[in-house]
Amino acid sequence: MPAYNAGKYIGEAITSVLGQSFTDFELLIINDGSTDETEKIVRAFKDPRIVLINQDNKGIASALNFGLSYARAPYIARFDADDVCYPNRLKIQYDFITAHPMYSIIGSAVDYADVHGRYIFTHHPEGHLNEEIQQLKYSICPFIHSSVFYKREVVAKSGGYNENAFTYEDHFLWVNILKNEKACNLSQSLIKVRLNPGSISIDEKWHTRKFRSIKYSTLKKCSITEAEGHELYQISGKHYSPKIKEGAYYALCCKKFLLNNYQPEKARSNVIRAISLYPFRLDNYLLYTISYFPEWFIIWLHNSISGNPIKKMQQS
């Protein structure tokens, strides 16, 4: 678990791991130079399975690689400091990978929640079987990072997380690993992922064209240079202010309340907040207008534009 200024949520995240039905694990928490009470909260837990590692603020990819260098177990379960693991998460994934050792990476469906932990929708991966995952376009990330359970040796041999692939280090890793390894996604939701305006990641539509161009060209060629990584970082540092992240958060919540869990009133309340932050973004007004259309039309419109059919979700 990498953590940076996660004091608001990390206590709940840690508690969800300590309450796992599978108990033979160590919880590696890499404190990436936090300036809030993150370290103090972690140290308040006295469970000997918790291993706290401190480093200067170097970013999530660096923190993950640092953690991998400390890990002793043959398997790694990933999640973030604002997520919540369901009680049987580790047991289900451990039992599956040991019963099916041909797989190197196992993901799952996930439940998404808002910043307050309130359920928004269930995400079902684009591919479940290895054959389906292998056929996905390079532009589609096959896993939700917080849901993955993988063989440490496989990731280590691949060189770990590429620190140049800023904000998509996991997607870049999968594109390279899946050329030689098998993977699958379990259909059961094993974790609650919190959408958070303080997150390093933002809604894809809020990225600049230049950022998206570099991202997808590097994913397509399965390589990235230090210069490209530096440019990605410069773009993010310049354009992705806390205000932009907050606006992107509300816009994303709006989309999910229209496409994945049709609740137009909640969608409108979120996009109105996005509009108040960025009154000159026309796409927010389009979302507001679309929120008055019936669900079937919204899904049809999305499928027509994107070419990726929306799968009907199961309410939890």
Side-chain angles (χ1 to χ4, degrees):
M1 184 209 306
Y4 175 70
N5 288 349
K8 288 183 180 179
Y9 312 113
I10 195 168
E12 184 180 9
I14 292 172
T15 299
S16 75
V17 177
L18 299 183
Q20 290 291 300
S21 57
F22 182 94
T23 60
D24 186 14
F25 63 84
E26 63 177 2
L27 172 56
L28 286 166
I29 301 175
I30 302 89
N31 179 27
D32 186 34
S34 296
T35 57
D36 66 354
E37 294 189 335
T38 293
E39 181 176 355
K40 179 180 178 181
I41 293 170
V42 173
R43 292 191 181 281
F45 288 88
K46 303 305 180 184
D47 195 300
R49 294 173 295 180
I50 296 175
V51 179
L52 175 64
I53 305 168
N54 288 308
Q55 71 166 28
D56 295 335
N57 181 231
K58 298 179 181 179
I60 187 171
S62 172
L64 289 170
N65 288 332
F66 200 30
L68 284 171
S69 70
Y70 273 84
R72 297 176 295 168
Y75 303 108
I76 301 292
R78 261 287 289 127
F79 84 124
D80 290 319
D82 54 358
D83 298 333
V84 175
C85 292
Y86 294 152
N88 290 326
R89 184 230 169 139
L90 293 183
K91 177 174 173 53
I92 290 171
Q93 291 185 305
Y94 177 82
D95 287 350
F96 188 92
I97 203 169
T98 51
H100 304 87
M102 71 287 292
Y103 295 110
S104 296
I105 311 168
I106 301 170
S108 78
V110 304
D111 293 334
Y112 273 95
D114 67 11
V115 70
H116 304 293
R118 297 174 299 207
Y119 173 81
I120 300 179
F121 75 107
T122 298
H123 171 84
H124 294 282
E126 294 289 336
H128 289 85
L129 302 176
N130 179 64
E131 293 75 12
E132 296 172 335
I133 292 173
Q134 297 290 349
Q135 292 174 7
L136 292 176
K137 295 180 180 179
Y138 67 87
S139 58
I140 299 175
C141 189
F143 311 106
I144 297 299
H145 198 187
S146 291
S147 78
V148 295
F149 189 105
Y150 55 71
K151 295 178 180 177
R152 178 177 57 83
E153 182 181 15
V154 169
V155 173
K157 283 184 176 180
S158 73
Y161 294 87
N162 193 307
E163 296 180 29
N164 290 317
F166 188 69
T167 76
Y168 62 98
E169 61 283 328
D170 57 319
H171 192 171
F172 192 85
L173 178 65
W174 313 140
V175 166
N176 283 276
I177 286 181
L178 289 175
K179 291 182 291 186
N180 302 306
E181 302 293 336
K182 291 185 177 181
C184 68
N185 276 303
L186 305 180
S187 59
Q188 181 179 351
S189 294
L190 299 179
I191 188 169
K192 180 169 71 175
V193 175
R194 192 188 308 265
L195 294 179
N196 184 354
S199 171
I200 189 174
S201 301
I202 67 170
D203 183 6
E204 190 73 8
K205 296 296 183 182
W206 285 61
H207 280 301
T208 65
R209 288 185 180 180
K210 184 63 175 178
F211 188 100
R212 294 196 301 267
S213 175
I214 296 173
K215 174 181 177 179
Y216 291 113
S217 68
T218 57
L219 286 170
K220 185 175 183 179
K221 65 184 181 181
C222 296
S223 66
I224 184 170
T225 66
E226 186 175 347
E228 288 170 325
H230 180 72
E231 189 168 3
L232 289 170
Y233 185 81
Q234 290 296 317
I235 293 171
S236 298
K238 182 178 179 181
H239 294 283
Y240 303 155
S241 65
K243 183 180 177 183
I244 287 180
K245 290 184 177 181
E246 187 177 5
Y249 162 78
Y250 286 118
L252 181 60
C253 288
C254 169
K255 293 175 187 178
K256 297 309 177 184
F257 276 124
L258 290 178
L259 286 168
N260 303 89
N261 181 0
Y262 185 67
Q263 297 190 58
E265 295 82 6
K266 290 185 177 180
R268 281 193 289 276
S269 68
N270 277 283
V271 78
I272 287 171
R273 299 193 72 169
I275 290 172
S276 69
L277 290 165
Y278 284 91
F280 298 110
R281 280 192 66 107
L282 297 181
D283 53 346
N284 287 333
Y285 293 98
L286 180 59
L287 283 172
Y288 181 83
T289 302
I290 291 174
S291 71
Y292 284 96
F293 286 83
E295 181 181 15
W296 68 266
F297 177 82
I298 294 173
I299 293 176
W300 172 82
L301 182 64
H302 171 83
N303 292 342
S304 299
I305 295 173
S306 69
N308 295 322
I310 291 291
K311 301 174 183 177
K312 293 298 289 183
M313 52 155 280
Q314 296 178 349
Q315 293 278 2
S316 65

